Structures are given as structure tokens and as C-alpha cells.
Amino acid sequence: MSAVRITLDAGAKGPRIDRNIYGHFAEHLGRCVYEGLWVGTGSKIPNVRGIRKDVVAALRKMKLPVLRWPGGCFADEYHWMDGIGPRAKRPTIVNTHWGGVTENNHFGTHEFMDLCDQVGCAPYICGNVGSGTVREMQSWVEYITFGGRSPGDKSPMADLRRRNGRKEPWKLPYFGVGNENWGCGGNMRPEYYADEYRRYQTYVRDFGGNKVFRIACGPNDGDWYWTEVLMREARDRMDGLSLHMYSLAGGWEDKGSATAFDDRGWFKLLAKGLRMEELVAGHAAIMDRFDPQKKVALVVDEWGAWYNVEPGTNPGFLYQQNTLRDALLAGVTLNIFNNHADRVRMANIAQLVNVLQAVILTEGAKMILTPTYHVFEMYSVHQDATRIPAAVECGQAGPEEARVPGVTASASVDEDGRTHVSLCNLDPNAPAAVEISLRGIAAREVAGRVLTAPAMQAHNTFAKPNAVRPAAFGGARLAEGAVRADLPPRSVVVLELI
Ligand code: AHR
């Protein structure tokens, strides 16, 4: 058993951990939107105005705070006017990016805003810079958020919205000006995109009481130069800069299997995921030079594991299983975001249902929760709580080419004074004996929950939906101002101190 020391220092607490760090992403890709979220009003699958009831209930329980839509690469090919008005009259298009399938546009702006209302989350819409116009982006924001002029005056976008059944404007708190404009969003150079960003965002207007948080397309992975140029040229016109980073167990040609892996595959994937620390710290350091007051948020609006698709499924649909290894990836990544909450103020794992590192998988009327779902639900205690610095001293685990820290952690205190500590034991074979010193925290009781399974490849299936699920954790005790916890191998544990 490895020994780990963690010091929590409540005297140095802060900042607030923005709830939006626990955000998600839903793209018109494979079975995410269609089937996963939208089944249509005529479906036998229980739904409210076409949106699945079971999925909405699960997302409410997980406390989904913010949802990014409609892409991804799809966003820079999406023309929002195709997705409004009577559904039978909406044009069909080919989703050229994802599988070449027909997109009937039945899920559009009204349906997305309805989904967010039903779930109780904030909408984050990504606009089209790659193949769209400034006017198109301007009118989309106006359509959603402009109440209209006094009766009798014409307000074309507000009038159109009313004719389509929505009288009052919606609130639109978050808007992205393009997606991956260094790649599928137009293959632009950062200097060119920075100018385009400045132009497009000018017309993303604030109407009435709505204040849009404008998010510029940020770097791919470790492209420091992109961040440098965007911060130099456009920092005063943005509220957030995005970052995309995916973790693969192999290369892009052969990304590795989601379920068939050994110890080496376990460590390789987690080592890739832990690069998020280097990326967040590196991009934040560049941002600090231009924006020492940290006004601009780093928005990690695509992250997660990307494997080969499940055998027999459409390669363009990116459908993959989700094991205990993905739960650990989620846990260590969320710990990194919590620990960098001063700069990271939103993150969106890819993607919500049936695509990449999904929290929910569906098959017809059936729905299962993945191990990653359980981590998001367990970690939801950190949403909007105040971070407490957690200094971890531990050994390393894994083979030479994929060394990882044995344990990672983050901690926070909520407004009721409860302290939560989330701990990941990355070693698939050895338990960890953790001693947590509590500086400035007077705890009387400790309780907790644990997510683990007998095998690192364990996952939930439609036949066995509860193979991996959280259980009460009895391995922690309080003694002399410290907590001692024995973490099982390959586990995620969240402790509560009151
Ligand atoms: O999430 C899948 C794709 O990955 C997105 O469409 C794109 O933005 C990224 O490259």
C-alpha cells in the first residue's frame, strides 16, 4: 500500500469553483442529439415536446450546469434558419462532417432552448464563422434575445420568433464565435482569425437585460502561439478563450479500444489526460502576461477520451463504451480544473449522450449511466463552492513511458460549511493510505462515497446497467485533526467533512 500525504489549507482558500466547470457538449453527431436527446413528439419513448424524459431526469440529478451546442465542427456548417419554423417544412441537409447522414433539422433553436429549460441548465451556443456570415450570427442572437420594439413597430427577428411560437425572448448567457477555426472551422491562421473574431463579435449584441459572455476560439492542445496572438489582438473583446484537448490511448489512426486494454493501456490513457495540467498551466501563463487580472476565462469546451468506435458501429458516429478508466480520467481532469478555478471557469466534456466520453448511452427506449456520469454526479458538490488548496505528496505509478502520480486531489468548502475532498487513486492494483491534514478546518464527522469495480475494464451495459456505480465509503476516519482514508485500487472517492 502506498502512503500519501495531503494538506488542506483553509487559510488560503479561494477562488469560487465555477459550476460551469461541470459543463457538457452536445453536437449534431451520430446519436447524440437524435435518439440521445430528441426522439420527436410522436415517439413511443416517453418525452416532453420530443425530448426524452429519462435523459432529462438523469441530467437534472447530475446537476448539469451548462450545455454547448450545436457543435463542434457541425457548428461551422450550421445555418440556424434551417432549424426554425414548422418542422415538416424545415429543409434537410447532409451532415457532411459526421457520417454523411441526412439531417432533418427537427432539433433547432427552439428545441435546444426547451431542452435547457427542462434540464435547468444554461445554454451555450456556438456560432458559424467558417461558412456563415456576420449577418447570420447577428440575427441569431437577435432572434433569441431581442424582446422587440414597441407594439406596431417592426422587429423582424423578434416577430419571426413570435410567429414560431415563442413570445418572450430567451436569455442567452454564453456564445462562441466559431469552433476550431484553426481546423474544421475554416483552417485559419491565428492572425486572420483574431481579426475575424473582432469583426463577428461586434455584432453579437446585448439586448435588453441579456449580457452575452463572448467566447473566442482558442488553441488546439499545446498551440501556445494561437493563445499568444488571440490574447495580444483581441483580449479586450472577449470574456473567454476556448481550449480543446482529447486523450487517446493510441494515435489518431488507431486510437485504442475503449474496453480492451491492459495495465499499460490504463496508464497510457491517464498519462495523456494528465497533460491537461501542463496545458492549462501553460495557456494560463500566457494569458497572465496579457491579462494579469484574469478577466478572460479559459473555457475548456471540448475534452475527454477518444477511442476507436465500438465494433460494428458507424465510424462517423464516434460511439464508444466507457469504463472505470474513463471515470478516473474524469476525476483527475476535474481535479485539475478545480485546482485552476482562478482561470478555468467553464469546461465541457465531449459529448453528452452516445458520443465519445458520454455520461449517458441509449439503445431505443433503454438508457444507462456510464462510470463518467457517476463521477460528475459525485463531484457536483464542488459546484460554486470555494476551493481549498490541496497539496499532495505521493509516489508515482505506471511504466517508464507513462508515469502518473499515484493520487490526485481537490477540495472545496460549500456555503453550508461542508468540506468536500475528491481523491483519485490511479494505481489499478494497489490501495493508497492517505493522511489528510486539516489546516483551519474543524471537522466532527467524515463520510464518503466511492466508485470502483473489481476490474479496470468494468463498464455498464444494457444487460448489466449497474456494474459500476457509487457506494458508501467506510474507509475514512477522523483522528487528531486529520483524516485517514484507505483508497481502494483504481478508485474515485469523494469525502464530506462536517
Ligand atoms: O467532438 C468531436 C469533434 O472534435 C468536434 O466536432 C470538433 O470540434 C473536435 O475536433
Side-chain angles (χ1 to χ4, degrees):
M1 179 170 322
S2 63
V4 179
R5 288 183 62 85
I6 299 178
T7 306
L8 302 188
D9 186 359
K13 67 180 188 235
R16 185 173 67 93
I17 295 172
D18 198 309
R19 67 170 72 177
N20 288 336
I21 282 177
Y22 292 83
H24 288 250
F25 166 41
E27 179 165 13
H28 288 236
L29 193 178
R31 297 187 301 115
C32 182
V33 168
Y34 297 104
E35 292 186 40
L37 296 164
W38 173 262
V39 287
T41 49
S43 174
K44 288 202 178 89
I45 298 173
N47 68 84
V48 175
R49 295 182 293 279
I51 296 165
R52 288 180 79 121
K53 274 187 175 177
D54 53 354
V55 171
V56 167
L59 297 177
R60 289 185 75 88
K61 183 157 184 252
M62 190 187 73
K63 299 201 171 73
L64 173 65
V66 62
L67 183 60
R68 177 175 184 251
W69 172 84
C73 294
F74 183 79
D76 280 279
E77 297 189 1
Y78 183 61
H79 301 282
W80 69 273
M81 283 213 177
D82 291 347
I84 55 169
R87 281 187 208 107
K89 290 194 177 157
R90 295 185 192 172
T92 52
I93 57 167
V94 178
N95 189 336
T96 45
H97 212 93
W98 301 117
V101 294
T102 301
E103 155 73 56
N104 64 15
N105 278 304
H106 282 196
F107 190 89
T109 303
H110 290 247
E111 291 77 15
F112 173 64
M113 297 307 270
D114 191 15
L115 168 68
C116 292
D117 278 350
Q118 290 187 34
V119 172
C121 69
Y124 167 15
I125 287 182
C126 184
N128 181 346
V129 170
S131 69
T133 63
V134 173
R135 180 178 183 180
E136 198 178 355
M137 188 177 287
Q138 175 185 25
S139 58
W140 198 5
V141 175
E142 188 177 326
Y143 182 89
I144 295 171
T145 62
F146 185 44
R149 291 161 61 86
S150 56
D153 281 356
K154 287 277 178 209
S155 313
M157 287 302 118
D159 291 347
L160 183 60
R161 185 191 63 237
R162 287 196 203 99
R163 284 203 298 281
N164 288 332
R166 173 77 187 196
K167 189 162 169 256
E168 298 301 327
W170 290 279
K171 291 282 184 219
L172 178 59
Y174 304 103
F175 195 87
V177 180
N179 169 75
E180 295 195 352
N181 302 96
W182 37 260
C184 64
N187 287 307
M188 300 174 193
R189 293 172 303 109
E191 293 81 1
Y192 181 78
Y193 172 74
D195 281 346
E196 286 292 86
Y197 173 79
R198 290 166 64 104
R199 184 164 75 108
Y200 274 73
Q201 66 79 37
T202 308
Y203 304 94
V204 175
R205 297 221 158 92
D206 292 332
F207 292 106
N210 190 66
K211 170 84 186 77
V212 183
F213 186 99
R214 293 163 180 75
I215 299 167
C217 166
N220 178 28
D221 211 283
D223 183 351
W224 317 116
Y225 183 64
W226 185 281
T227 299
E228 173 99 22
V229 174
L230 264 290
M231 289 303 289
R232 191 182 70 217
E233 304 297 341
R235 66 182 173 280
D236 295 337
R237 296 168 200 274
M238 68 173 81
D239 301 294
L241 182 69
S242 73
L243 165 65
H244 288 185
M245 193 278 230
Y246 284 100
S247 304
L248 284 64
W252 281 104
E253 289 306 309
D254 178 9
K255 302 184 240 353
S257 161
T259 51
F261 57 87
D262 53 13
D263 277 22
R264 204 168 149 267
W266 166 277
F267 283 114
K268 217 171 152 193
L269 192 271
L270 292 178
K272 290 267 182 77
L274 283 159
R275 282 192 57 247
M276 185 64 87
E277 171 67 38
E278 186 192 317
L279 294 183
V280 167
H283 289 294
I286 298 169
M287 294 172 83
D288 282 351
R289 281 202 276 117
F290 295 97
D291 172 34
Q293 292 179 317
K294 300 185 194 295
K295 289 189 194 149
V296 179
L298 186 59
V299 175
V300 190
D301 59 14
E302 286 188 31
W303 68 273
W306 193 326
Y307 302 112
N308 295 334
V309 297
E310 283 300 294
T313 65
N314 186 329
F317 280 15
L318 310 187
Y319 177 72
Q320 64 189 40
Q321 251 296 355
N322 194 295
T323 68
L324 189 59
R325 178 174 65 169
D326 300 296
L328 266 294
L329 177 68
V332 299
T333 308
L334 293 169
N335 282 343
I336 292 169
F337 295 155
N338 287 346
N339 290 331
H340 286 277
D342 56 340
R343 187 60 90 171
V344 180
R345 299 201 279 277
M346 193 199 291
N348 310 76
I349 189 172
Q351 297 193 5
L352 193 61
V353 192
N354 293 332
V355 171
L356 298 178
Q357 195 178 344
V359 289
I360 290 174
L361 303 178
T362 65
E363 198 177 83
K366 292 188 226 151
M367 175 195 88
I368 57 174
L369 307 176
T370 66
T372 299
Y373 174 96
H374 294 304
V375 172
F376 272 82
E377 187 272 319
M378 288 164 71
Y379 273 51
S380 65
V381 291
H382 291 301
Q383 291 188 18
D384 289 337
T386 303
R387 185 195 66 188
I388 300 175
V392 181
E393 296 164 59
C394 68
Q396 292 202 314
E400 200 54 50
E401 72 279 12
R403 299 292 279 168
V404 299
V407 167
T408 81
S410 67
S412 67
V413 55
D414 69 16
E415 58 183 18
D416 296 323
R418 290 174 302 206
T419 297
H420 294 103
V421 191
S422 41
L423 302 153
C424 296
N425 181 4
L426 283 72
D427 196 316
N429 304 311
V434 180
E435 180 170 316
I436 308 173
S437 313
L438 307 175
R439 287 202 193 140
I441 302 167
R444 301 180 314 279
E445 285 173 32
V446 58
R449 291 165 81 203
V450 59
L451 188 73
T452 187
M456 60 187 166
Q457 303 87 353
H459 56 279
N460 295 332
T461 62
F462 293 94
K464 285 196 176 156
N466 290 317
V468 187
R469 66 170 164 181
F473 180 63
R477 61 216 171 273
L478 268 169
E480 296 154 23
V483 175
R484 296 208 167 78
D486 294 333
L487 308 182
R490 55 184 181 282
S491 65
V492 178
V493 169
V494 177
L495 299 178
E496 178 171 277
L497 311 178
I498 53 170

